[in-house]
PDB file of all heavy atoms in Angstrom:
ATOM      1  N   TYR O 671       9.598   3.478 -12.004  1.00  0.00           N
ATOM      2  CA  TYR O 671       8.405   2.658 -11.904  1.00  0.00           C
ATOM      3  C   TYR O 671       8.589   1.271 -12.446  1.00  0.00           C
ATOM      4  O   TYR O 671       7.982   0.262 -12.107  1.00  0.00           O
ATOM      5  CB  TYR O 671       7.222   3.376 -12.444  1.00  0.00           C
ATOM      6  CG  TYR O 671       5.832   2.876 -11.893  1.00  0.00           C
ATOM      7  CD1 TYR O 671       5.590   2.681 -10.575  1.00  0.00           C
ATOM      8  CD2 TYR O 671       4.814   2.728 -12.686  1.00  0.00           C
ATOM      9  CE1 TYR O 671       4.468   2.379  -9.990  1.00  0.00           C
ATOM     10  CE2 TYR O 671       3.617   2.340 -12.283  1.00  0.00           C
ATOM     11  CZ  TYR O 671       3.366   2.108 -10.885  1.00  0.00           C
ATOM     12  OH  TYR O 671       2.262   1.781 -10.359  1.00  0.00           O
ATOM     13  N   ALA O 672       9.531   1.250 -13.526  1.00  0.00           N
ATOM     14  CA  ALA O 672       9.846  -0.039 -14.153  1.00  0.00           C
ATOM     15  C   ALA O 672      10.850  -0.912 -13.441  1.00  0.00           C
ATOM     16  O   ALA O 672      11.102  -1.882 -13.835  1.00  0.00           O
ATOM     17  CB  ALA O 672      10.278   0.239 -15.649  1.00  0.00           C
ATOM     18  N   LEU O 673      11.446  -0.388 -12.377  1.00  0.00           N
ATOM     19  CA  LEU O 673      12.416  -1.069 -11.530  1.00  0.00           C
ATOM     20  C   LEU O 673      11.796  -2.407 -11.005  1.00  0.00           C
ATOM     21  O   LEU O 673      10.575  -2.400 -10.689  1.00  0.00           O
ATOM     22  CB  LEU O 673      13.010  -0.338 -10.548  1.00  0.00           C
ATOM     23  CG  LEU O 673      13.816   0.884 -10.943  1.00  0.00           C
ATOM     24  CD1 LEU O 673      14.322   1.772  -9.795  1.00  0.00           C
ATOM     25  CD2 LEU O 673      15.236   0.412 -11.830  1.00  0.00           C
ATOM     26  N   PRO O 674      12.516  -3.407 -10.837  1.00  0.00           N
ATOM     27  CA  PRO O 674      11.937  -4.613 -10.183  1.00  0.00           C
ATOM     28  C   PRO O 674      11.281  -4.333  -8.831  1.00  0.00           C
ATOM     29  O   PRO O 674      11.826  -3.758  -8.020  1.00  0.00           O
ATOM     30  CB  PRO O 674      13.174  -5.562  -9.958  1.00  0.00           C
ATOM     31  CG  PRO O 674      14.100  -5.126 -11.004  1.00  0.00           C
ATOM     32  CD  PRO O 674      13.902  -3.565 -11.189  1.00  0.00           C
ATOM     33  N   GLY O 675      10.046  -4.848  -8.737  1.00  0.00           N
ATOM     34  CA  GLY O 675       9.253  -4.625  -7.515  1.00  0.00           C
ATOM     35  C   GLY O 675       8.523  -3.283  -7.369  1.00  0.00           C
ATOM     36  O   GLY O 675       7.784  -3.130  -6.354  1.00  0.00           O
ATOM     37  N   ALA O 676       8.759  -2.265  -8.153  1.00  0.00           N
ATOM     38  CA  ALA O 676       8.323  -0.975  -7.964  1.00  0.00           C
ATOM     39  C   ALA O 676       6.708  -1.029  -8.061  1.00  0.00           C
ATOM     40  O   ALA O 676       6.019  -0.256  -7.229  1.00  0.00           O
ATOM     41  CB  ALA O 676       8.862   0.083  -8.962  1.00  0.00           C
ATOM     42  N   VAL O 677       6.138  -1.588  -9.069  1.00  0.00           N
ATOM     43  CA  VAL O 677       4.698  -1.530  -9.228  1.00  0.00           C
ATOM     44  C   VAL O 677       4.100  -2.190  -8.020  1.00  0.00           C
ATOM     45  O   VAL O 677       2.993  -1.832  -7.474  1.00  0.00           O
ATOM     46  CB  VAL O 677       4.288  -2.223 -10.507  1.00  0.00           C
ATOM     47  CG1 VAL O 677       2.740  -2.344 -10.594  1.00  0.00           C
ATOM     48  CG2 VAL O 677       4.764  -1.410 -11.800  1.00  0.00           C
ATOM     49  N   GLU O 678       4.668  -3.388  -7.570  1.00  0.00           N
ATOM     50  CA  GLU O 678       4.175  -4.141  -6.432  1.00  0.00           C
ATOM     51  C   GLU O 678       4.208  -3.282  -5.243  1.00  0.00           C
ATOM     52  O   GLU O 678       3.208  -3.214  -4.419  1.00  0.00           O
ATOM     53  CB  GLU O 678       4.988  -5.409  -6.296  1.00  0.00           C
ATOM     54  CG  GLU O 678       4.466  -6.254  -5.191  1.00  0.00           C
ATOM     55  CD  GLU O 678       5.129  -7.546  -4.888  1.00  0.00           C
ATOM     56  OE1 GLU O 678       6.228  -7.700  -5.505  1.00  0.00           O
ATOM     57  OE2 GLU O 678       4.755  -8.370  -4.083  1.00  0.00           O
ATOM     58  N   ALA O 679       5.435  -2.589  -5.024  1.00  0.00           N
ATOM     59  CA  ALA O 679       5.500  -1.792  -3.805  1.00  0.00           C
ATOM     60  C   ALA O 679       4.437  -0.757  -3.786  1.00  0.00           C
ATOM     61  O   ALA O 679       3.867  -0.348  -2.722  1.00  0.00           O
ATOM     62  CB  ALA O 679       6.878  -1.160  -3.814  1.00  0.00           C
ATOM     63  N   GLY O 680       4.148  -0.039  -4.923  1.00  0.00           N
ATOM     64  CA  GLY O 680       3.156   1.058  -5.046  1.00  0.00           C
ATOM     65  C   GLY O 680       1.794   0.502  -4.681  1.00  0.00           C
ATOM     66  O   GLY O 680       1.024   1.045  -4.012  1.00  0.00           O
ATOM     67  N   ALA O 681       1.536  -0.723  -5.296  1.00  0.00           N
ATOM     68  CA  ALA O 681       0.168  -1.372  -5.178  1.00  0.00           C
ATOM     69  C   ALA O 681      -0.083  -1.735  -3.685  1.00  0.00           C
ATOM     70  O   ALA O 681      -1.063  -1.603  -3.025  1.00  0.00           O
ATOM     71  CB  ALA O 681       0.018  -2.599  -5.988  1.00  0.00           C
ATOM     72  N   GLU O 682       1.032  -2.138  -2.999  1.00  0.00           N
ATOM     73  CA  GLU O 682       0.821  -2.545  -1.583  1.00  0.00           C
ATOM     74  C   GLU O 682       0.456  -1.456  -0.722  1.00  0.00           C
ATOM     75  O   GLU O 682      -0.069  -1.552   0.385  1.00  0.00           O
ATOM     76  CB  GLU O 682       2.189  -3.108  -1.144  1.00  0.00           C
ATOM     77  CG  GLU O 682       2.411  -4.485  -1.710  1.00  0.00           C
ATOM     78  CD  GLU O 682       1.499  -5.586  -1.225  1.00  0.00           C
ATOM     79  OE1 GLU O 682       0.804  -5.451  -0.200  1.00  0.00           O
ATOM     80  OE2 GLU O 682       1.203  -6.474  -2.064  1.00  0.00           O
ATOM     81  N   LEU O 683       0.742  -0.147  -1.081  1.00  0.00           N
ATOM     82  CA  LEU O 683       0.361   0.974  -0.298  1.00  0.00           C
ATOM     83  C   LEU O 683      -1.227   1.074  -0.206  1.00  0.00           C
ATOM     84  O   LEU O 683      -1.858   1.405   0.788  1.00  0.00           O
ATOM     85  CB  LEU O 683       0.911   2.339  -0.947  1.00  0.00           C
ATOM     86  CG  LEU O 683       2.340   2.559  -0.796  1.00  0.00           C
ATOM     87  CD1 LEU O 683       2.818   3.792  -1.590  1.00  0.00           C
ATOM     88  CD2 LEU O 683       2.610   2.832   0.723  1.00  0.00           C
ATOM     89  N   TYR O 684      -1.828   0.790  -1.492  1.00  0.00           N
ATOM     90  CA  TYR O 684      -3.322   0.697  -1.475  1.00  0.00           C
ATOM     91  C   TYR O 684      -3.858  -0.518  -0.744  1.00  0.00           C
ATOM     92  O   TYR O 684      -4.851  -0.414  -0.113  1.00  0.00           O
ATOM     93  CB  TYR O 684      -3.722   0.822  -3.035  1.00  0.00           C
ATOM     94  CG  TYR O 684      -3.351   2.075  -3.664  1.00  0.00           C
ATOM     95  CD1 TYR O 684      -2.198   2.229  -4.309  1.00  0.00           C
ATOM     96  CD2 TYR O 684      -4.296   3.066  -3.696  1.00  0.00           C
ATOM     97  CE1 TYR O 684      -1.839   3.316  -4.910  1.00  0.00           C
ATOM     98  CE2 TYR O 684      -3.941   4.292  -4.226  1.00  0.00           C
ATOM     99  CZ  TYR O 684      -2.742   4.429  -4.965  1.00  0.00           C
ATOM    100  OH  TYR O 684      -2.434   5.675  -5.532  1.00  0.00           O
ATOM    101  N   ARG O 685      -3.196  -1.545  -0.873  1.00  0.00           N
ATOM    102  CA  ARG O 685      -3.647  -2.824  -0.192  1.00  0.00           C
ATOM    103  C   ARG O 685      -3.501  -2.626   1.336  1.00  0.00           C
ATOM    104  O   ARG O 685      -4.220  -3.496   2.003  1.00  0.00           O
ATOM    105  CB  ARG O 685      -2.799  -4.041  -0.775  1.00  0.00           C
ATOM    106  CG  ARG O 685      -3.038  -4.319  -2.225  1.00  0.00           C
ATOM    107  CD  ARG O 685      -1.990  -5.183  -2.903  1.00  0.00           C
ATOM    108  NE  ARG O 685      -2.186  -5.270  -4.309  1.00  0.00           N
ATOM    109  CZ  ARG O 685      -1.363  -5.800  -5.071  1.00  0.00           C
ATOM    110  NH1 ARG O 685      -0.100  -6.049  -4.668  1.00  0.00           N
ATOM    111  NH2 ARG O 685      -1.576  -5.693  -6.477  1.00  0.00           N
ATOM    112  N   ALA O 686      -2.696  -1.683   1.832  1.00  0.00           N
ATOM    113  CA  ALA O 686      -2.679  -1.487   3.275  1.00  0.00           C
ATOM    114  C   ALA O 686      -3.645  -0.512   3.796  1.00  0.00           C
ATOM    115  O   ALA O 686      -3.645  -0.286   5.063  1.00  0.00           O
ATOM    116  CB  ALA O 686      -1.248  -0.989   3.635  1.00  0.00           C
ATOM    117  N   PHE O 687      -4.660  -0.048   2.999  1.00  0.00           N
ATOM    118  CA  PHE O 687      -5.666   0.837   3.470  1.00  0.00           C
ATOM    119  C   PHE O 687      -6.399   0.322   4.635  1.00  0.00           C
ATOM    120  O   PHE O 687      -6.694   1.151   5.538  1.00  0.00           O
ATOM    121  CB  PHE O 687      -6.593   1.220   2.262  1.00  0.00           C
ATOM    122  CG  PHE O 687      -6.143   2.202   1.377  1.00  0.00           C
ATOM    123  CD1 PHE O 687      -4.818   2.760   1.438  1.00  0.00           C
ATOM    124  CD2 PHE O 687      -6.897   2.754   0.381  1.00  0.00           C
ATOM    125  CE1 PHE O 687      -4.419   3.911   0.574  1.00  0.00           C
ATOM    126  CE2 PHE O 687      -6.552   3.730  -0.561  1.00  0.00           C
ATOM    127  CZ  PHE O 687      -5.297   4.270  -0.424  1.00  0.00           C
ATOM    128  N   PRO O 688      -6.901  -0.872   4.781  1.00  0.00           N
ATOM    129  CA  PRO O 688      -7.642  -1.336   5.899  1.00  0.00           C
ATOM    130  C   PRO O 688      -6.766  -1.159   7.131  1.00  0.00           C
ATOM    131  O   PRO O 688      -7.222  -0.738   8.176  1.00  0.00           O
ATOM    132  CB  PRO O 688      -7.983  -2.723   5.612  1.00  0.00           C
ATOM    133  CG  PRO O 688      -7.893  -2.821   4.107  1.00  0.00           C
ATOM    134  CD  PRO O 688      -6.864  -1.912   3.628  1.00  0.00           C
ATOM    135  N   LYS O 689      -5.490  -1.421   7.090  1.00  0.00           N
ATOM    136  CA  LYS O 689      -4.642  -1.399   8.196  1.00  0.00           C
ATOM    137  C   LYS O 689      -4.321   0.084   8.540  1.00  0.00           C
ATOM    138  O   LYS O 689      -4.339   0.506   9.787  1.00  0.00           O
ATOM    139  CB  LYS O 689      -3.250  -2.110   8.064  1.00  0.00           C
ATOM    140  CG  LYS O 689      -2.288  -2.117   9.234  1.00  0.00           C
ATOM    141  CD  LYS O 689      -3.021  -2.909  10.402  1.00  0.00           C
ATOM    142  CE  LYS O 689      -1.945  -3.285  11.610  1.00  0.00           C
ATOM    143  NZ  LYS O 689      -1.424  -1.984  12.306  1.00  0.00           N
ATOM    144  N   ASP O 690      -4.217   0.928   7.578  1.00  0.00           N
ATOM    145  CA  ASP O 690      -4.073   2.365   7.789  1.00  0.00           C
ATOM    146  C   ASP O 690      -5.249   3.005   8.480  1.00  0.00           C
ATOM    147  O   ASP O 690      -5.156   3.751   9.377  1.00  0.00           O
ATOM    148  CB  ASP O 690      -3.815   3.083   6.534  1.00  0.00           C
ATOM    149  CG  ASP O 690      -2.454   2.729   5.871  1.00  0.00           C
ATOM    150  OD1 ASP O 690      -1.599   2.373   6.495  1.00  0.00           O
ATOM    151  OD2 ASP O 690      -2.331   2.881   4.592  1.00  0.00           O
ATOM    152  N   LEU O 691      -6.412   2.516   8.019  1.00  0.00           N
ATOM    153  CA  LEU O 691      -7.688   3.061   8.673  1.00  0.00           C
ATOM    154  C   LEU O 691      -7.647   2.640  10.162  1.00  0.00           C
ATOM    155  O   LEU O 691      -8.041   3.467  10.933  1.00  0.00           O
ATOM    156  CB  LEU O 691      -8.848   2.473   7.974  1.00  0.00           C
ATOM    157  CG  LEU O 691     -10.263   2.700   8.604  1.00  0.00           C
ATOM    158  CD1 LEU O 691     -10.485   4.103   8.663  1.00  0.00           C
ATOM    159  CD2 LEU O 691     -11.325   1.936   7.758  1.00  0.00           C
ATOM    160  N   GLU O 692      -7.344   1.489  10.494  1.00  0.00           N
ATOM    161  CA  GLU O 692      -7.259   0.929  11.857  1.00  0.00           C
ATOM    162  C   GLU O 692      -6.281   1.838  12.640  1.00  0.00           C
ATOM    163  O   GLU O 692      -6.540   2.297  13.675  1.00  0.00           O
ATOM    164  CB  GLU O 692      -6.960  -0.576  11.847  1.00  0.00           C
ATOM    165  CG  GLU O 692      -6.799  -1.142  13.162  1.00  0.00           C
ATOM    166  CD  GLU O 692      -6.425  -2.569  13.192  1.00  0.00           C
ATOM    167  OE1 GLU O 692      -6.653  -3.134  12.167  1.00  0.00           O
ATOM    168  OE2 GLU O 692      -5.718  -2.878  14.128  1.00  0.00           O
ATOM    169  N   ASP O 693      -5.057   1.989  12.071  1.00  0.00           N
ATOM    170  CA  ASP O 693      -4.063   2.604  12.717  1.00  0.00           C
ATOM    171  C   ASP O 693      -4.384   4.208  12.985  1.00  0.00           C
ATOM    172  O   ASP O 693      -4.153   4.677  13.988  1.00  0.00           O
ATOM    173  CB  ASP O 693      -2.775   2.525  12.037  1.00  0.00           C
ATOM    174  CG  ASP O 693      -2.140   1.100  12.103  1.00  0.00           C
ATOM    175  OD1 ASP O 693      -2.589   0.349  12.869  1.00  0.00           O
ATOM    176  OD2 ASP O 693      -1.275   0.905  11.252  1.00  0.00           O
ATOM    177  N   ASN O 694      -4.906   4.864  12.027  1.00  0.00           N
ATOM    178  CA  ASN O 694      -5.196   6.283  12.026  1.00  0.00           C
ATOM    179  C   ASN O 694      -6.295   6.441  12.982  1.00  0.00           C
ATOM    180  O   ASN O 694      -6.355   7.496  13.664  1.00  0.00           O
ATOM    181  CB  ASN O 694      -5.460   6.826  10.634  1.00  0.00           C
ATOM    182  CG  ASN O 694      -4.084   6.925   9.835  1.00  0.00           C
ATOM    183  OD1 ASN O 694      -3.105   6.941  10.317  1.00  0.00           O
ATOM    184  ND2 ASN O 694      -4.353   6.880   8.491  1.00  0.00           N
ATOM    185  N   THR O 695      -7.249   5.602  12.990  1.00  0.00           N
ATOM    186  CA  THR O 695      -8.421   5.840  13.908  1.00  0.00           C
ATOM    187  C   THR O 695      -8.019   5.670  15.240  1.00  0.00           C
ATOM    188  O   THR O 695      -8.379   6.423  16.163  1.00  0.00           O
ATOM    189  CB  THR O 695      -9.475   4.693  13.621  1.00  0.00           C
ATOM    190  OG1 THR O 695     -10.059   4.826  12.246  1.00  0.00           O
ATOM    191  CG2 THR O 695     -10.648   4.824  14.560  1.00  0.00           C
TER     192      THR O 695
END
């Protein structure tokens, strides 16, 4: 989790929720 970009990559999963909702619907 301390590797460069790891926290950002994990956070981006949550930031993609609106697109996920659209795609899954």
Side-chain angles (χ1 to χ4, degrees):
Y671 203 44
L673 293 173
V677 173
E678 180 181 10
E682 288 297 331
L683 289 170
Y684 293 90
R685 293 166 188 161
F687 276 6
K689 185 65 168 66
D690 292 337
L691 172 59
E692 179 184 328
D693 291 343
N694 290 336
T695 300

